Amino acid sequence: MIRSKVSDDMINVMLRQAGAVSIKTSPAHINIAKFVIGEEVRLTYMYEVKEEEIYLQRISPYPMMIGKIYNEQQVVDIIKLDLQKFQSAYNSTNFNKFIELASYVTTFNKDIENLFMTHNVPREKLEQIEEEMSKLHQLIEDATENTPLLR
């Protein structure tokens, strides 16, 4: 219990130094840290400190589970790197389209899970979905290889 409180405090201090505009901690050692990137864009992270384990996820502008983290410095380093990437991407003329696509992927994940959890999907449909997803993955790989990096 004492370790969780110390870890919370250490992470929170480092994130405030990194520019967090607010950090809220619940009694269950669930922490919410918010950063402002632009007028309409906020990055929000949730991390839970439980004895020797820390779990981190991004909540907004779209949710993404980052995973199990092993120490306080890693949490701060991962958030700082993610923040830098978002700040760089924010300056792109396609940032809003990126957020739209990322939100769509989140909805897609929920839809596909709902489909498989509530319907007996025929094998042919599964293979068709897999084929289309493979095409999309290839399109993303091609774009990654054939477009310049952000600066």
Side-chain angles (χ1 to χ4, degrees), residues 34-50:
K34 296 181 181 185
F35 295 83
V36 175
I37 300 239
E39 286 182 34
E40 307 268 330
V41 182
R42 310 276 185 274
L43 252 66
T44 305
Y45 300 90
M46 182 174 75
Y47 49 97
E48 180 179 11
V49 180
K50 287 185 160 188

Side-chain angles (χ1 to χ4, degrees), residues 77-143:
D77 291 345
I78 289 168
I79 290 175
K80 280 182 172 180
L81 181 60
D82 200 51
L83 182 61
Q84 288 172 354
K85 288 179 182 180
F86 268 92
Q87 288 168 331
S88 179
Y90 179 73
N91 295 320
S92 164
T93 56
N94 295 318
F95 184 76
N96 289 337
K97 181 52 92 177
F98 160 69
I99 296 297
E100 266 181 52
L101 288 171
S103 296
Y104 181 75
V105 168
T106 300
T107 302
F108 178 81
N109 284 339
K110 289 176 186 174
D111 291 346
I112 200 166
E113 179 178 298
N114 184 52
L115 171 67
F116 295 135
M117 297 294 200
T118 60
H119 293 79
N120 186 11
V121 183
R123 182 164 192 78
E124 303 81 46
K125 280 287 180 202
L126 292 174
E127 289 171 355
Q128 184 181 3
I129 291 169
E130 181 180 34
E131 183 179 322
E132 293 301 319
M133 288 175 68
S134 178
K135 288 178 188 175
L136 249 174
H137 188 256
Q138 186 60 50
L139 181 62
I140 291 169
E141 285 182 353
D142 290 347

Side-chain angles (χ1 to χ4, degrees), residues 5 7-26 29-36 43-49 75-76 79:
K5 181 66 178 145
S7 294
D8 284 354
D9 291 344
M10 288 173 55
I11 294 169
N12 293 347
V13 165
M14 289 188 279
L15 290 179
R16 278 193 181 88
Q17 291 171 344
V21 294
S22 84
I23 298 176
K24 295 182 180 167
T25 301
S26 76
H29 300 285
I30 295 175
N31 301 270
I32 310 277
K34 296 181 181 185
F35 295 83
V36 175
L43 252 66
T44 305
Y45 300 90
M46 182 174 75
Y47 49 97
E48 180 179 11
V49 180
V75 172
V76 174
I79 290 175

Side-chain angles (χ1 to χ4, degrees), residues 50-67:
K50 287 185 160 188
E51 297 178 22
E52 299 299 318
E53 299 175 333
I54 304 170
Y55 296 94
L56 175 63
Q57 66 181 344
R58 184 185 325 112
I59 297 172
S60 69
Y62 58 90
M64 176 177 277
M65 179 57 143
I66 296 170

